[in-house]
Amino acid sequence: MKTSLLNEIPSTIEWKDNTIIILDQTLLPLETKYIHINTIEAMWDAIKRLAIRGAGALSVGAAYGIYFGIERFEGSKEDFFVEFDKKVEYIRSCRPTAVKLFKVCDRMTKVAYTNSDKSVGKIKEILLDEAHKILDTCLEKSKKVGEYGLELMKNNMTILTHCNAGSYAGVRYGSALAPIYLAREKGWNIRLFADETRPLLQGARLTTHEMMRIEVDVTLICDNMAGHIMKKEKIDAIFVGCDRMVANGDFANKIGTYGLAVMAKHHNIPFYTFINSESIDFETETGEGIPIEERPAEEVTEGFGTRTAPNGVKVCNPAFDVTPNNLLTGIVTEKGIIYPPFKEELAKKCLMIGDE
Amino acid sequence: MKTSLLNEIPSTIEWKDNTIIILDQTLLPLETKYIHINTIEAMWDAIKRLAIRGAGALSVGAAYGIYFGIERFEGSKEDFFVEFDKKVEYIRSCRPTAVKLFKVCDRMTKVAYTNSDKSVGKIKEILLDEAHKILDTCLEKSKKVGEYGLELMKNNMTILTHCNAGSYAGVRYGSALAPIYLAREKGWNIRLFADETRPLLQGARLTTHEMMRIEVDVTLICDNMAGHIMKKEKIDAIFVGCDRMVANGDFANKIGTYGLAVMAKHHNIPFYTFINSESIDFETETGEGIPIEERPAEEVTEGFGTRTAPNGVKVCNPAFDVTPNNLLTGIVTEKGIIYPPFKEELAKKCLMIGDE
């Protein structure tokens, strides 16, 4: 694939002509539609109805949303701050459990008040700059994770992945799929097996779609086929994302990741997780300390509009599982690839006081 | 659970008042409806549209179907055999790939012609007896598998299973679920985790349904949750069915079985497969010789009546995988439980010349 072709594919979230352009994820995989947003109300709505999702993209969207909220304000500085606070509260209300969203709201608030001695026009400029910075940092870290991941790759290799840890969960590159974008930019051919990832099918709906866009030779499988594929096909590596990592390298990721890691070990296949080091929780010692969210039974029994199990059946539907560090080959971060002993190496490379 | 309550539950296929009563499997899990069949045409239709399925139940149905076809015949013996041959061909035509169906047609034909010196009325009687024998043998072997399996069980144990190897795939007891029926007859409490079994969801649709009928504490999980459950819950054993076993004990079963076996080994959980020894293929040496059926992509991409993957996506959809004998704890047959070395023990216990 030509680099130019890859560049022609818009990012999941992009700033262009004073507008944010986002890929509407609610229509995937059957329709690829971009929405142009330049009001706070439209951004609130896009975040609320999950047209934009994933911690990275969501925080970028929120920052621009706050800017749109005050962009056209005319009036005194005092009135400006009243208005600004209202807009921040409004954005904060759209996903009450998204921690990253609150962090961005706090960051934008801090920037505005720190510059309260400047003119309203200047504060607006500074807020727009801050949103750009959030986008750039997100993009840069995602690319950096990809660059380190690329060190693990070669032309014509075969990778297996789970869920969606790609562009659609981040900004341009995502995490576990980030090196595949860079490999395609180099013109390498990559073969990918994508687990469909029950119950919500992020692999079937999103991973296949974004990988087909960049002409990766992607094959969709059901989750229970992964073992058979590891035995029958030459799988060079398994790349997965990471929802939460603790101090010793144990990590939570989409349900099914742990089983894959066990099977990878049995087949001697290298197993890597990809993470922005900001998301590492050094306060928690081991994976035992990670609470597992239990989700509604209907996701399993009425997956796609059809009831497929008896009424009243008992269901277990954990959103995540925990993979212990001894099943991991390495952890790919924007600060480099971490190898065992994970606890010591993570602390050395990723736990930096005052690091942003 | 009282034995009487268990006995009140009709079998998947049963003979009563000159009629065959079958559970219509096409309406499960949302409706439990029994169909009364007493013509060959109705039986042909029930087999064709999969209202009755599984090699065992299907062959029983075919035998009674042939009997219904000639039950009301009046005329000369010569005409009787013309009619009989026609009816056998008719039944043979309804599932052109079901080997067990052909075997039953051959068996009924042999019985009819061996007794051609007898009166038409007597031959009809003999054919009905033969159908009864086929049903009884099927039931008896299924119960025998269950009795041996029961030796592996105890009160309050927790089992994990895959796909549907129960009553709905056989006659009354099935194979892997047979010991659970017998355990319930003893009043034991059994906890069962049932993999939903993508893409066709036999676990979600059938296993949960038949286990809820006999008040087993069954919990439905997605296939990718099995590893997490093995780690978090005290799973005492894994029981699965078997589609085809070869001379050394390697066996093909529903896709996902192999991955479960790998995970069971990692967690030191005993892993058993259940099989009627008739189905062991002693002509094939190892699992390498078992061809794997590849099924249509739409089962994966349009599983629930909704398209859930991009148009044109490449899909891999093997119906089965092969589990090597070294991941097996034991093989439960109607002739006893086989332990390693499997090749020698299978030959000793299950390969009997002239054995029916």
Side-chain angles (χ1 to χ4, degrees):
Chain A
M1 164 172 238
K2 301 266 173 53
T3 303
S4 59
L5 181 52
L6 194 67
N7 284 337
E8 276 165 25
I9 296 174
S11 181
T12 317
I13 180 162
E14 223 164 10
W15 173 261
K16 209 173 172 182
D17 305 330
N18 233 39
T19 296
I20 278 293
I21 306 172
I22 66 160
L23 174 62
D24 186 343
Q25 303 211 16
T26 62
L27 303 172
L28 294 174
L30 299 181
E31 203 181 325
T32 309
K33 190 182 155 191
Y34 291 87
I35 321 174
H36 292 239
I37 293 179
N38 51 23
T39 67
I40 187 172
E41 291 78 14
M43 185 61 82
W44 190 94
D45 180 63
I47 296 174
K48 184 74 181 177
R49 66 186 184 84
L50 307 179
I52 186 166
R53 52 171 273 286
L58 199 136
S59 54
V60 171
Y64 284 104
I66 291 169
Y67 169 70
F68 291 140
I70 49 83
E71 186 190 9
R72 292 171 194 82
F73 176 85
E74 303 283 348
S76 73
K77 201 187 284 181
E78 200 179 331
D79 288 350
F80 173 84
F81 275 100
V82 172
E83 188 67 11
F84 175 81
D85 288 347
K86 258 197 261 175
K87 299 303 184 184
V88 171
E89 281 319 297
Y90 175 63
I91 279 291
R92 205 188 283 272
S93 72
C94 81
R95 286 281 295 279
T97 58
V99 177
K100 200 95 187 249
L101 184 78
F102 305 153
K103 280 196 183 168
V104 161
C105 288
D106 292 346
R107 179 166 162 181
M108 294 294 275
T109 302
K110 192 175 159 197
V111 164
Y113 280 89
T114 308
N115 290 285
S116 59
D117 57 328
K118 309 218 169 56
S119 72
V120 167
K122 186 69 194 166
I123 299 172
K124 286 185 192 177
E125 258 176 50
I126 291 170
L127 284 168
L128 179 58
D129 275 351
E130 197 63 22
H132 289 337
K133 263 187 224 160
I134 292 170
L135 172 58
D136 289 348
T137 308
C138 192
L139 197 62
E140 202 177 284
K141 289 196 175 176
S142 168
K143 189 166 185 184
K144 209 78 196 153
V145 166
E147 280 165 357
Y148 283 112
L150 194 61
E151 294 175 5
L152 305 170
M153 296 186 68
K154 57 179 194 292
N155 195 7
N156 295 313
M157 82 186 288
T158 303
I159 292 168
L160 188 148
T161 192
H162 191 65
C163 197
N164 177 253
S167 179
Y168 295 175
V171 182
R172 180 177 281 283
Y173 302 96
S175 57
L177 302 184
I180 300 182
Y181 280 93
L182 302 181
R184 292 295 296 143
E185 277 180 357
K186 289 170 77 84
W188 287 358
N189 293 316
I190 302 298
R191 197 161 158 244
L192 181 74
F193 285 92
D195 285 351
E196 64 174 5
T197 317
R198 281 283 283 151
L200 297 182
L201 301 176
Q202 291 91 339
R205 294 185 297 109
L206 307 177
T207 298
T208 57
H209 189 269
E210 69 169 276
M211 292 289 102
M212 284 167 82
R213 290 204 311 183
I214 57 165
E215 297 174 14
V216 166
D217 176 11
V218 58
T219 301
L220 173 64
I221 58 172
C222 295
D223 302 301
N224 66 17
M225 295 169 190
H228 176 72
I229 294 295
M230 289 187 206
K231 191 168 68 169
K232 285 289 181 191
E233 308 281 341
K234 209 200 133 318
I235 302 290
D236 296 299
I238 296 176
F239 286 0
V240 297
C242 179
D243 281 285
R244 180 166 165 194
M245 179 167 281
V246 297
N248 73 345
D250 293 353
F251 71 105
N253 190 43
K254 183 58 61 200
I255 185 74
T257 302
Y258 169 63
L260 273 188
V262 169
M263 290 189 279
K265 183 149 204 143
H266 183 83
H267 294 91
N268 286 311
I269 298 172
F271 190 92
Y272 295 93
T273 184
F274 290 68
I275 185 172
N276 177 329
S277 71
E278 270 183 350
S279 311
I280 301 172
D281 163 17
F282 285 100
E283 305 289 306
T284 307
E285 294 283 329
T286 74
E288 293 293 313
I290 304 177
I292 301 292
E293 175 194 357
E294 183 71 23
R295 297 186 50 86
E298 289 68 28
E299 289 184 356
V300 175
T301 57
E302 293 172 21
F304 298 86
T306 316
R307 175 114 200 151
T308 50
N311 289 317
V313 69
K314 208 157 124 180
V315 172
C316 177
N317 183 19
F320 307 106
D321 55 25
V322 173
T323 301
N325 64 17
N326 63 0
L327 297 176
L328 261 179
T329 307
I331 303 163
V332 185
T333 76
E334 83 286 5
K335 293 182 176 166
I337 307 179
I338 319 289
Y339 292 103
F342 288 115
K343 190 176 168 183
E344 292 72 7
E345 292 298 312
L346 279 173
K348 206 186 294 173
K349 288 206 176 156
C350 300
L351 179 61
M352 294 173 104
I353 311 302
D355 180 54
E356 199 186 8
Chain B
M1 163 174 241
K2 301 265 172 54
T3 304
S4 58
L5 181 53
L6 193 69
N7 283 338
E8 275 166 24
I9 296 173
S11 181
T12 316
I13 181 163
E14 222 164 10
W15 173 260
K16 207 173 174 182
D17 304 331
N18 233 40
T19 295
I20 279 292
I21 304 171
I22 65 161
L23 174 62
D24 187 344
Q25 304 210 13
T26 63
L27 303 173
L28 294 174
L30 300 182
E31 203 181 325
T32 308
K33 188 182 156 192
Y34 290 87
I35 321 173
H36 291 239
I37 293 178
N38 52 22
T39 68
I40 185 171
E41 291 78 14
M43 186 61 82
W44 190 93
D45 180 62
I47 297 174
K48 184 72 181 180
R49 66 185 185 83
L50 307 178
I52 185 166
R53 52 171 275 284
L58 199 137
S59 54
V60 170
Y64 284 103
I66 291 168
Y67 168 71
F68 291 140
I70 50 81
E71 186 188 9
R72 293 169 193 84
F73 176 86
E74 303 282 349
S76 73
K77 200 187 284 180
E78 201 180 330
D79 288 350
F80 172 83
F81 275 99
V82 171
E83 189 66 11
F84 175 81
D85 289 348
K86 257 198 263 176
K87 299 304 187 186
V88 171
E89 281 319 297
Y90 175 63
I91 280 290
R92 204 187 284 271
S93 72
C94 81
R95 286 283 296 278
T97 57
V99 177
K100 201 95 186 248
L101 185 78
F102 305 153
K103 280 195 183 167
V104 160
C105 289
D106 293 345
R107 179 166 163 182
M108 293 294 275
T109 302
K110 193 176 158 196
V111 163
Y113 279 90
T114 308
N115 291 286
S116 60
D117 57 328
K118 310 220 166 55
S119 72
V120 166
K122 186 71 195 165
I123 299 171
K124 285 185 191 176
E125 260 174 47
I126 291 170
L127 284 169
L128 179 57
D129 276 351
E130 196 64 21
H132 289 337
K133 262 187 224 162
I134 292 170
L135 172 57
D136 289 347
T137 308
C138 194
L139 197 62
E140 203 176 283
K141 287 194 175 177
S142 169
K143 189 166 187 186
K144 208 79 198 155
V145 166
E147 280 165 358
Y148 283 112
L150 193 61
E151 294 176 6
L152 305 169
M153 295 185 70
K154 58 179 191 293
N155 195 6
N156 294 315
M157 81 185 289
T158 302
I159 292 167
L160 188 148
T161 192
H162 191 63
C163 198
N164 176 253
S167 179
Y168 294 174
V171 182
R172 180 177 282 280
Y173 301 96
S175 57
L177 303 184
I180 299 182
Y181 280 92
L182 301 181
R184 291 296 295 143
E185 278 181 356
K186 287 170 78 84
W188 288 358
N189 293 317
I190 303 298
R191 197 160 158 245
L192 180 74
F193 284 91
D195 284 351
E196 65 173 4
T197 318
R198 281 282 285 152
L200 297 182
L201 302 177
Q202 291 92 339
R205 295 187 295 109
L206 307 176
T207 298
T208 55
H209 189 270
E210 69 170 275
M211 292 290 102
M212 284 166 81
R213 288 206 309 183
I214 57 165
E215 297 173 13
V216 167
D217 176 12
V218 58
T219 301
L220 174 63
I221 58 171
C222 295
D223 301 301
N224 65 19
M225 296 166 189
H228 176 73
I229 294 294
M230 288 186 207
K231 192 169 64 170
K232 285 288 180 193
E233 306 282 342
K234 209 199 132 324
I235 302 290
D236 296 298
I238 297 177
F239 286 0
V240 298
C242 179
D243 281 286
R244 182 167 164 192
M245 179 167 280
V246 297
N248 73 344
D250 292 353
F251 73 104
N253 191 43
K254 182 59 61 199
I255 187 73
T257 303
Y258 169 63
L260 274 190
V262 168
M263 290 188 280
K265 184 153 200 133
H266 183 83
H267 294 91
N268 287 313
I269 298 172
F271 190 91
Y272 294 94
T273 183
F274 289 68
I275 185 174
N276 177 330
S277 71
E278 267 183 349
S279 310
I280 301 172
D281 163 17
F282 284 100
E283 305 288 305
T284 306
E285 293 283 331
T286 73
E288 292 294 311
I290 305 177
I292 302 292
E293 176 194 357
E294 183 71 23
R295 297 185 51 86
E298 289 70 27
E299 288 184 356
V300 176
T301 57
E302 295 172 21
F304 309 85
T306 316
R307 175 114 199 149
T308 50
N311 290 315
V313 68
K314 211 157 122 182
V315 172
C316 177
N317 184 19
F320 308 105
D321 56 25
V322 173
T323 300
N325 63 19
N326 62 0
L327 296 176
L328 261 179
T329 307
I331 303 163
V332 184
T333 76
E334 84 286 6
K335 293 181 176 167
I337 306 177
I338 318 289
Y339 291 103
F342 290 115
K343 191 177 167 183
E344 292 72 9
E345 293 298 311
L346 278 173
K348 207 186 293 175
K349 287 207 177 151
C350 301
L351 178 61
M352 295 175 105
I353 311 301
D355 179 54
E356 201 189 3

